[in-house]
């Protein structure tokens, strides 16, 4: 992997994700504000379904004394993450399947100040996500936090949803015509890279083209987290399509 420009891959991933979520940095900013407010500037973080380590990189820029454990199953995104943070003793990466009931046994710590995730758990259906939330309630220390920023659909507002979706997709179409890489395009580039080609092939063996999970409402997430054992839970940020739900143990 010597010579691979991991920073360029990180930037490329960010740009691809921002095509879907132009307010991506805004949600990360609120997430880190809430970490600082509730658990302080030296958190032990679990970056859940970490991908390339997008949350970890922002955590460490904001909190230089933090530590972060990233967990994911995707071999290609983990390759980028591991290459990007090679030699940083504050960071550990773990390969694990969040649908496996024993996934947490692979983690280096028994408890965390903050468990953070973004644009990842929509890969899970509601039943395994409910089970995962129960496990997370056991990993977050008392007074610690869990935050999930993702696409969360309120089915009680179909006209608003349709209008928002139409406007969002019109913007995406314009940007795609201007040359922005979408999800499929980005992976096509990765598949041709000498270092990422093999892990990219493996990731498609694991996941297929894309998972078909659920996108329940922010209220569902908050209620499910309360039922799992968190003491408080509510939305702390929202866009017309996405929400950031915060739960405190």
């Amino acid at each position: 992997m010597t010579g691979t420009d991991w920073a360029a891959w990180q930037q490329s991933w960010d740009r691809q994700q921002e095509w879907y979520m132009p307010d991506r940095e805004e949600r990360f900013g609120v997430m880190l504000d809430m970490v600082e407010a509730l658990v302080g500037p030296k958190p032990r973080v679990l970056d859940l379904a970490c991908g390339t380590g997008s949350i970890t990189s922002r955590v460490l820029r904001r909190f230089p004394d933090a530590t972060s454990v990233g967990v994911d199953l995707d071999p290609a995104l983990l390759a980028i993450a591991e290459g990007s943070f090679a030699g940083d003793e504050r960071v550990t990466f773990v390969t694990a399947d969040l649908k496996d009931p024993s996934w947490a046994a692979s983690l280096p710590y028994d408890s965390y100040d903050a468990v953070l995730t973004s644009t990842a758990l929509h890969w899970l259906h509601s039943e395994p996500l409910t089970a995962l939330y129960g496990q997370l309630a056991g990993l977050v220390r008392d007074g610690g936090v869990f935050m999930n920023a993702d696409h969360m659909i309120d089915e009680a507002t179909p006209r608003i949803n349709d209008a928002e979706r139409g406007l969002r997709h019109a913007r995406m179409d314009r940007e795609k015509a201007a040359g922005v890489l979408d999800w499929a395009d980005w992976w096509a580039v990765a598949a041709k890279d000498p270092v990422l080609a093999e892990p990219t092939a493996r990731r498609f063996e694991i996941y297929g083209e894309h998972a078909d999970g659920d996108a329940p409402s922010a209220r569902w997430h908050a209620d499910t987290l309360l039922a799992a054992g968190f003491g408080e839970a509510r939305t702390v940020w929202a866009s017309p399509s996405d929400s950031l739900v915060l739960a405190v143990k």
Side-chain angles (χ1 to χ4, degrees), residues 2-53:
T2 302
T4 300
D5 189 343
W6 296 116
W9 278 109
Q10 289 282 4
Q11 292 166 8
S12 175
W13 178 259
D14 283 346
R15 299 296 84 76
Q16 179 255 125
Q17 289 287 285
E18 288 165 358
W19 181 63
Y20 297 94
M21 301 164 288
D23 48 24
R24 186 168 177 254
E25 290 301 330
E26 184 178 323
R27 73 189 68 194
F28 285 147
V30 174
M31 181 180 282
L32 297 185
D33 285 346
M34 293 297 96
V35 168
E36 183 171 6
L38 287 158
V39 302
K42 300 180 181 181
R44 176 189 291 169
V45 171
L46 178 59
D47 185 351
L48 194 70
C50 64
T52 65

Side-chain angles (χ1 to χ4, degrees), residues 156-235:
T157 58
R159 288 183 295 169
I160 295 173
N161 297 348
D162 288 345
E164 181 280 325
R165 187 182 303 109
L167 187 64
R168 173 162 44 92
H169 280 276
R171 171 191 59 79
M172 293 168 71
D173 289 345
R174 292 192 301 270
E175 294 178 359
K176 184 68 159 51
V180 173
L181 295 181
D182 65 11
W183 172 267
D185 293 336
W186 190 91
W187 281 109
V189 174
K192 296 177 182 178
D193 183 81
V195 172
L196 293 178
E198 189 274 334
T200 295
R202 283 193 286 122
R203 74 87 55 201
F204 280 100
E205 291 175 1
I206 294 169
Y207 292 110
E209 289 300 317
H210 204 284
D212 58 348
D214 299 331
S217 69
R219 183 69 264 166
W220 181 94
H221 285 274
D223 289 344
T224 303
L225 288 162
L226 291 171
F230 287 90
E232 299 179 10
R234 71 169 177 87
T235 300

Side-chain angles (χ1 to χ4, degrees), residues 55-73:
I55 288 176
T56 291
S57 67
R58 288 155 178 81
V59 165
L60 296 181
R61 283 203 297 266
R62 174 82 171 258
F63 309 120
D65 294 323
T67 57
S68 182
V69 176
V71 59
D72 208 303
L73 186 61

Side-chain angles (χ1 to χ4, degrees), residues 17-149:
Q17 289 287 285
E18 288 165 358
W19 181 63
Y20 297 94
M21 301 164 288
D23 48 24
R24 186 168 177 254
E25 290 301 330
E26 184 178 323
R27 73 189 68 194
F28 285 147
V30 174
M31 181 180 282
L32 297 185
D33 285 346
M34 293 297 96
V35 168
E36 183 171 6
L38 287 158
V39 302
K42 300 180 181 181
R44 176 189 291 169
V45 171
L46 178 59
D47 185 351
L48 194 70
C50 64
T52 65
S54 297
I55 288 176
T56 291
S57 67
R58 288 155 178 81
V59 165
L60 296 181
R61 283 203 297 266
R62 174 82 171 258
F63 309 120
D65 294 323
T67 57
S68 182
V69 176
V71 59
D72 208 303
L73 186 61
D74 188 314
L77 297 185
L78 279 174
I80 296 172
E82 290 166 350
S84 299
F85 295 94
D88 193 331
E89 296 181 352
R90 299 170 296 175
V91 183
T92 304
F93 290 105
V94 173
T95 300
D97 184 350
L98 297 180
K99 293 184 287 186
D100 181 345
S102 64
W103 71 271
S106 302
L107 299 177
Y109 306 108
D110 293 330
S111 67
Y112 295 83
D113 301 309
V115 178
L116 309 177
T117 188
S118 179
T119 328
L121 299 189
H122 63 270
W123 285 67
L124 299 178
H125 288 290
S126 299
E127 184 174 346
L129 183 55
T130 298
L132 177 63
Y133 279 176
Q135 291 178 297
L136 296 180
L139 287 171
V140 175
R141 68 161 173 83
D142 287 347
V145 300
F146 167 71
M147 278 181 267
N148 180 14

